[in-house]
């Protein structure tokens, strides 16, 4: 009963937070507040409250089941949701650009809300009830391996979402540049047409045209600053998640050897985890050695997001392989 109350209350709170960040990002809420820090404190306080609700739920689940709550898809999804809110809270504390936390919150909060919707309304009830661990999971490696893997997933998901938002802003800037260039040409033509062809008027025309073209980039200064922020955040969070994914794969191979007598058995989950590792290894390699950044890296990270989603959900939902326990079949 307590678990249901906590998770339902947190779901409502997450929905409100998501709506809050979307309205703030589109400047619907700031008009009612004279100071941006008021909205920032409201958002951070709500995220902190959600973390507390989720942490209490995980502790209650741990106490009732007598094992760390990561034995099935339901528990891992809610643990992932808690880690994503934690990362969002930490990132918001480090941001230096004014109002950028609203953009970051509007990017991460929808995926957190989607994870909770999927866990609460799509999974069968038998996965939501506490049960004893299967023999394969009765090991101290459960906390080490699964915790590190889910933490790496949270960091990689955040990095991929930032890259996807970067691509959206790139599209927005390109469209705005086309419209502004057309507007600038019309303004220049209006300046050029009515004046007679004297030397003084020609100098005046030239100066006015230069002013028009110099003022144009200022319209995109804020968007370009946010794009650089998203590219940097994507690189940093993916750079944080990749070593964790590596540690998770190594710890999983050691655990597999102790449980099944083999470090690597080419199980579908293991295979797709390796594919995921290679995709983000290529991402970091191209950043370091090839100097890729911006659009190219964002496209590669977006591709990695879909590979990661299939590795985490798709393989498990098929119910095949050695990692199918505690999941749908």
């Amino acid at each position: 009963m307590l678990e249901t109350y906590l998770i339902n209350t947190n779901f409502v709170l997450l929905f409100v937070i998501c709506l809050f960040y979307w309205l703030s990002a589109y400047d619907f809420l700031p008009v009612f507040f004279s100071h941006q820090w008021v909205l920032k404190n409201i958002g951070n306080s709500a995220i902190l409250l959600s973390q507390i609700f989720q942490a209490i739920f995980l502790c209650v689940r741990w106490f009732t089941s007598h094992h760390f709550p990561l034995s099935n898809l339901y528990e891992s999804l809610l643990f992932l949701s808690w880690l994503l809110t934690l990362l969002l809270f930490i990132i918001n504390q480090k941001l230096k650009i004014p109002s950028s936390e609203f953009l970051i919150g509007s990017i991460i909060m929808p995926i957190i809300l989607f994870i909770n919707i999927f866990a609460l309304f799509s999974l069968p009830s038998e996965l939501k009830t506490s049960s004893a661990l299967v023999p394969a999971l009765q090991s101290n490696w459960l906390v080490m391996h699964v915790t590190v893997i889910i933490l790496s997933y949270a960091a990689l998901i955040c990095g991929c979402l930032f890259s996807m938002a970067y691509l959206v802003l790139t599209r927005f800037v390109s469209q705005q540049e086309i419209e502004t260039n057309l507007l600038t040409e019309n303004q220049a033509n209006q300046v050029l047409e009515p004046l007679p062809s004297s030397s003084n008027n020609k100098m005046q025309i030239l100066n006015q045209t230069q002013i028009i073209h110099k003022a144009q980039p200022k319209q995109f200064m804020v968007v370009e600053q946010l794009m650089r922020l998203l590219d940097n955040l994507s690189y940093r969070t993916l750079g944080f998640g990749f070593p964790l994914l590596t540690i998770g794969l190594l710890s999983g191979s050691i655990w597999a050897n102790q449980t099944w007598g083999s470090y690597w058995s080419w199980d579908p989950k293991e295979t797709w985890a390796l594919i995921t590792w290679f995709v983000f290894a290529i991402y970091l390699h191209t950043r370091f050695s090839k100097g890729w950044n911006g659009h190219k890296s964002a496209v590669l990270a977006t591709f990695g997001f879909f590979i990661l989603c299939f590795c985490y959900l798709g393989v498990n939902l098929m119910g095949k392989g050695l990692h199918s326990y505690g999941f749908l079949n």
Side-chain angles (χ1 to χ4, degrees), residues 122-252:
S122 298
L123 296 181
S125 57
E126 55 267 20
L127 283 183
K128 301 178 184 179
T129 57
S130 300
S131 58
L133 289 176
V134 298
L137 295 179
Q138 295 176 6
S139 171
N140 293 328
W141 285 102
L142 173 65
V143 178
M144 169 63 183
H145 170 65
V146 185
T147 301
V148 174
I149 284 291
I150 299 300
L151 179 57
S152 71
Y153 286 174
L156 294 175
I157 287 173
C158 285
C160 293
L161 290 176
F162 294 147
S163 292
M164 295 168 72
Y166 178 91
L167 293 177
V168 173
L169 284 181
T170 302
R171 181 84 175 184
F172 170 78
V173 169
S174 300
Q175 184 64 28
Q176 289 296 317
E177 285 179 347
I178 293 174
E179 295 176 357
T180 305
N181 287 335
L182 292 175
L183 179 61
T184 303
E185 291 178 1
N186 293 333
Q187 290 174 339
N189 292 332
Q190 291 175 2
V191 171
L192 291 171
E193 287 176 358
L195 296 177
S197 58
S198 64
S199 59
N200 292 333
N201 288 336
K202 287 182 179 179
M203 290 299 298
Q204 182 180 0
I205 291 170
L206 179 62
N207 292 333
Q208 290 177 348
T209 306
Q210 290 175 348
I211 291 173
I212 291 174
H213 285 281
K214 288 180 180 179
Q216 176 184 346
K218 295 181 180 179
Q219 301 177 9
F220 309 104
M221 188 178 299
V222 176
V223 177
E224 290 177 352
Q225 191 177 19
L226 291 176
M227 289 173 62
R228 289 193 296 270
L229 172 66
L230 290 173
D231 184 55
N232 187 37
L233 282 176
S234 176
Y235 168 64
R236 290 177 178 272
T237 50
L238 291 177
F240 174 70
F242 180 75
L244 293 174
L245 180 61
T246 305
I247 296 173
L249 290 177
L250 293 175
S251 62

Side-chain angles (χ1 to χ4, degrees), residues 23-321:
L23 293 177
S24 299
Y26 283 96
D27 291 333
F28 286 107
L29 290 182
V31 296
F32 299 104
F33 296 88
S34 58
H35 300 286
Q36 290 286 341
W37 63 267
V38 176
L39 284 174
K40 181 177 180 180
N41 289 335
I42 292 175
N44 289 336
S45 299
I47 293 173
L48 184 60
L49 182 60
S50 175
Q51 290 178 50
I52 294 174
F53 276 118
Q54 294 178 76
I56 295 175
F57 167 81
L58 293 173
C59 290
V60 171
R61 186 84 171 187
W62 194 347
F63 177 78
T64 56
S65 62
H66 304 289
H67 61 76
F68 196 72
L70 283 175
S71 61
N72 56 34
L73 182 59
Y74 176 72
E75 294 173 349
S76 68
L77 283 170
L78 296 179
F79 186 70
L80 175 63
S81 171
W82 178 70
L83 290 176
L84 286 171
T85 54
L86 178 61
L87 288 176
L88 174 59
F89 182 80
I90 294 174
I91 292 173
N92 279 345
Q93 299 301 315
K94 300 296 183 180
L95 293 175
K96 303 299 182 182
I97 301 177
S99 303
S100 57
E101 61 273 1
F102 303 137
L103 173 64
I104 302 302
S106 65
I107 293 171
I108 299 180
M109 280 308 303
I111 195 68
I112 298 176
L113 187 63
F114 172 78
I115 289 172
N116 281 264
I117 291 174
F118 181 74
L120 294 178
F121 303 108
S122 298
L123 296 181
S125 57
E126 55 267 20
L127 283 183
K128 301 178 184 179
T129 57
S130 300
S131 58
L133 289 176
V134 298
L137 295 179
Q138 295 176 6
S139 171
N140 293 328
W141 285 102
L142 173 65
V143 178
M144 169 63 183
H145 170 65
V146 185
T147 301
V148 174
I149 284 291
I150 299 300
L151 179 57
S152 71
Y153 286 174
L156 294 175
I157 287 173
C158 285
C160 293
L161 290 176
F162 294 147
S163 292
M164 295 168 72
Y166 178 91
L167 293 177
V168 173
L169 284 181
T170 302
R171 181 84 175 184
F172 170 78
V173 169
S174 300
Q175 184 64 28
Q176 289 296 317
E177 285 179 347
I178 293 174
E179 295 176 357
T180 305
N181 287 335
L182 292 175
L183 179 61
T184 303
E185 291 178 1
N186 293 333
Q187 290 174 339
N189 292 332
Q190 291 175 2
V191 171
L192 291 171
E193 287 176 358
L195 296 177
S197 58
S198 64
S199 59
N200 292 333
N201 288 336
K202 287 182 179 179
M203 290 299 298
Q204 182 180 0
I205 291 170
L206 179 62
N207 292 333
Q208 290 177 348
T209 306
Q210 290 175 348
I211 291 173
I212 291 174
H213 285 281
K214 288 180 180 179
Q216 176 184 346
K218 295 181 180 179
Q219 301 177 9
F220 309 104
M221 188 178 299
V222 176
V223 177
E224 290 177 352
Q225 191 177 19
L226 291 176
M227 289 173 62
R228 289 193 296 270
L229 172 66
L230 290 173
D231 184 55
N232 187 37
L233 282 176
S234 176
Y235 168 64
R236 290 177 178 272
T237 50
L238 291 177
F240 174 70
F242 180 75
L244 293 174
L245 180 61
T246 305
I247 296 173
L249 290 177
L250 293 175
S251 62
S253 64
I254 297 173
W255 187 12
N257 183 60
Q258 292 182 356
T259 304
W260 301 313
S262 175
Y263 287 101
W264 196 268
S265 57
W266 294 106
D267 177 73
K269 183 73 170 182
E270 296 173 354
T271 304
W272 279 96
L274 184 61
I275 294 173
T276 304
W277 186 89
F278 273 116
V279 170
F280 290 106
I282 294 172
Y283 172 89
L284 294 175
H285 174 72
T286 53
R287 296 275 307 207
F288 284 134
S289 62
K290 302 296 183 181
W292 282 20
N293 55 25
H295 188 269
K296 291 182 179 180
S297 293
V299 171
L300 187 56
T302 302
F303 174 72
F305 175 77
F306 294 103
I307 297 296
L308 178 63
C309 289
F310 186 79
C311 174
Y312 178 52
L313 290 178
V315 176
N316 292 327
L317 293 178
M318 291 189 303
K320 297 180 180 180

